[in-house]
Structure formats: structure tokens, C-alpha cells
Amino acid sequence: MRTTLIITICLLSLFAMGVSCSEDSKDCSSTEEQIQKPLNPNGDSELALLMRAMFDEAQRIKKQIANNEPVTLTLDHDKILTAHATEPEKAASEEYKAFAAAYLQTIKSLETASQAQIIDVYDGMVNNCMTCHKALCPGPMVRIKKLQ
């Protein structure tokens, strides 16, 4: 009886440690891991995953602005120029590169904008997204409108 009790306690302890360790790993997710979550069953391009992460960051920034909090950027937005696209010929076009450069300029402005300028700069960033997607890839426009 005593041996059975000891074995049961040991097994319960091991189970409890296993559960607690697996829960810790779920909470720890870096920006890179957030970018790597594909939604499409056939896989997503690196650029599509990056833009989803950019959308999530823009939602967070919108909340920071609404709460008069400092704006923080966590993504490497420069990857917009080098990430592999679903349609590489579009991302290689001069038109895409110009839109990407305009977007990156608004990101730099967002980092240095004063509280008085921040809303206008944020709106400019969202407008840059809309303009590019109108010209090259209209699918995400419905989602981007939610950032306004």
C-alpha cells in the first residue's frame, strides 16, 4: 500500500511538471515565431506572413495612440524589401519598391513623431498600405480599413 502511494505521488509530480513546462513554452513567442504562422493550407509566402505581423503591430500601435502611450515598433519592417513574395514579379517591380520605400519612410516618421503629429503619421502609414494594395494586391484592403 505504501509503495503504491509513493509511486502515485511520483507520477502525479511528474505529470504536474510536464503540464507546467508545456504551458510555459506556449506563452513564450518571439516576433519571429509570430511571423512564421501560416494560415493557408498550401503555405504562405514570407512577405504574406510579414504583412500579417505588420497588421498586428499596426493594431497594437493604434491602441497605443488611443491610450496616449508611447508607440513601440518590434518588427524589422525593412524585410518588406527582401521577403519572398507569393508573386515575386510584383515584389520585384519598381512600383512595389516605391510603395515599400514610402511605407518605410512613414515607419521612420512614426518612430520620431511628436504626440501632436502621431495620429497624422499613423494615418499616413495606413494610407500607404491602402494605396499599395489598391495597385498590386487588393485582397487585404478590407482588413487594412480596420486600421483606420
Side-chain angles (χ1 to χ4, degrees):
M1 173 82 173
R2 187 162 191 244
T3 306
T4 306
L5 182 61
I6 291 173
I7 291 173
T8 303
I9 290 172
C10 289
L11 289 174
L12 287 174
S13 297
L14 287 173
F15 175 77
M17 286 190 314
V19 169
S20 67
C21 290
S22 66
E23 287 178 10
D24 288 343
S25 64
K26 289 178 188 173
D27 291 339
C28 300
S29 62
S30 68
T31 303
E32 286 296 316
E33 289 171 346
Q34 291 172 357
I35 294 174
Q36 300 302 322
K37 296 177 184 173
L39 294 179
N40 295 329
N42 295 331
D44 292 314
S45 72
E46 189 178 14
L47 185 58
L49 295 171
L50 174 64
M51 287 192 178
R52 285 189 195 117
M54 290 162 57
F55 175 84
D56 292 342
E57 182 164 86
Q59 280 187 314
R60 185 180 46 76
I61 291 169
K62 182 178 177 180
K63 288 178 186 173
Q64 289 174 332
I65 292 170
N67 295 329
N68 279 335
E69 298 172 356
V71 170
T72 57
L73 300 171
T74 59
L75 288 175
D76 181 3
H77 292 267
D78 289 331
K79 287 184 179 180
I80 196 171
L81 295 170
T82 58
H84 183 307
T86 303
E87 297 179 47
E89 65 280 359
K90 285 185 180 179
S93 72
E94 291 304 315
E95 186 178 24
Y96 174 82
K97 291 176 184 176
F99 285 129
Y103 171 79
L104 291 173
Q105 185 58 47
T106 59
I107 290 297
K108 287 179 185 170
S109 297
L110 199 58
E111 291 176 312
T112 60
S114 68
Q115 273 308 110
Q117 301 169 320
I118 199 78
I119 293 173
D120 290 335
V121 175
Y122 174 83
D123 289 341
M125 179 194 72
V126 174
N127 287 334
N128 281 343
C129 296
M130 288 295 286
T131 303
C132 180
H133 280 276
K134 278 181 189 175
L136 298 174
C137 182
M141 289 174 56
V142 171
R143 194 166 185 215
I144 294 168
K145 285 180 184 179
K146 295 177 183 178
L147 295 174
Q148 296 174 328

